[in-house]
Amino acid sequence: MPSLSISRLNCYLGCPLQYKFRYVDLLPRPWRVAAMAFGTSVHAAIEWFHRERMDGRSPSVEEALSVFEADWFAQNVEPLVFSEKEDTDSLREKGVALLTTYLGIMAESKPKAIEAPFEIPLIDPETGEDLDLTLRGIIDLVEEGDTLVDVKTAGRTPENGGLERHLQLTTYALVFYLLHGVIPDLRLDVLLKLKTPRVEQLPTKRSLPDLAWTARLFAKTARAIEQGHFYPNPSWRCTECEYFAACQAWRG
Amino acid sequence: MRPMASNFPPDLGDPTAAGRETTTYPQLLTLAHESDLTKVLTQLVQIPTDDNGRLAIVKAEVTTARGVFEGLGDASPESVEDFLLPHLIRVAETRAKARALRDAVGIGVVSVEEISGASFPPAASGPGSGGGSGRRPLPPGLPGNGGQGDGNRLRSLPIDTSSMSEGQRRYLFRLMAARGLKGEAAHDSLKQFFGVGDLFQVSKVEATKAIDRLLQDAGQGNGHAVTQH
């Protein structure tokens, strides 16, 4: 049975040709977008912080910042491409500020699971039809009371309707529903890389039709991938695509 | 052959050498039971994700009458057979247990499972199941293939020499931070440790051995060292 993760789904929806370069052709990436690497380092520190707490220890914010800084330095060993107003040091400073604020807020939260992997057969939640696909991925955080949380670093707050259409959160809800028969509460924690870094926690919900729609999206996308539908999707994202040169050479 | 730094464990040998004598997991397990094996624990250190090149890392702890022995195992799409791609965590676990078992029973040669994962049960039709239809035949003579009668014989296989993954590099820097070395100081120390001018010259296998060594040095008392991201 084929499988598809959320990140692969998002990659394909963003640009099918980028998907092919990354996951089918396995092209080496000549550089990496700094914003992606930054998000990974912030995630690493948050994950470490929660894991320590789940293991019964009392980690300090300073220790978590040490994890972030070591991780961020390691990311910069690889060539990174920064946006105009950012560089290694400015992002490090923003990371420290964001994590100090966010971990301060989260110190009272009760994590039930962190970076929880899942791998389940995809079923249409409305019809019960087996969609012949394994759905896999990782849930950033599950809090006591079964609130599923996705943590994002971003340059701005989600656009109007972005929270309601947030595919990762809908997928979390779909997985939870398929496993437990209940639609969970959801929350998007956005760590905003603004001049004055800010954290927003945005609760949201999903309906059963939302979950069915997403299940079908996964199934149809998997079929398109299987059938080799790989074509470019020109957009503003092309300027920060690692495979720009390969794309220019593409002739179908 | 690139020389290792002098403080590198002397019994590690040259991990980039292609082809060497090997043992097998079943053989190690048998020997461990003969050494009064009492417990085998494993811990998932890194979940394979697209961000870390789908590199799974598992730590194993083996307890015998002789003491407690630890080992790390990793698995990524580049280091396993195609049919094992959906089972990276389990391959990494088998490799970790094999490494810990080798130390426990005093076997210096690498096991087949650590190198290729090829003797790991082939992919099943659904998640979480073992064996079943659709399994791809294993190469002749490998354990689990049956009919060859030489599952415990030592053999030679090529070793993965691809560069260390991003996940390994990040974890190494975090381990160094836990030892008080940060930024360029950590970078310089790692390059000296591996005897290279650029960390991209370090293979996955070398990185795994270094992580293993640093974890052993750090013991269990530091959360920085135990949890990988």
Side-chain angles (χ1 to χ4, degrees), chain B residues 147-214:
Chain B
Q148 302 299 316
D150 64 346
N152 289 331
R153 203 183 72 194
L154 298 182
R155 69 196 76 254
S156 296
L157 287 174
I159 289 179
D160 178 12
T161 56
S162 56
S163 292
M164 83 160 85
S165 70
E166 174 202 315
Q168 287 180 313
R169 185 176 71 244
R170 291 166 54 210
Y171 193 42
L172 281 166
F173 274 90
R174 290 181 46 192
L175 288 171
M176 299 306 280
R179 296 160 73 102
L181 285 171
K182 298 182 178 179
E184 280 302 335
H187 197 188
D188 290 342
S189 181
L190 284 171
K191 285 190 284 189
Q192 185 181 356
F193 186 71
F194 288 111
V196 297
D198 185 330
L199 289 182
F200 291 96
Q201 295 172 256
V202 179
S203 74
K204 278 194 175 76
V205 177
E206 288 175 296
T208 299
K209 289 178 185 298
I211 289 170
D212 200 358
R213 168 68 189 273
L214 287 167

Side-chain angles (χ1 to χ4, degrees), chain A residues 12 220-230:
Chain A
Y12 186 86
K220 290 293 182 188
T221 305
R223 296 295 96 79
I225 292 170
E226 273 183 353
Q227 291 165 16
H229 294 307
F230 300 118

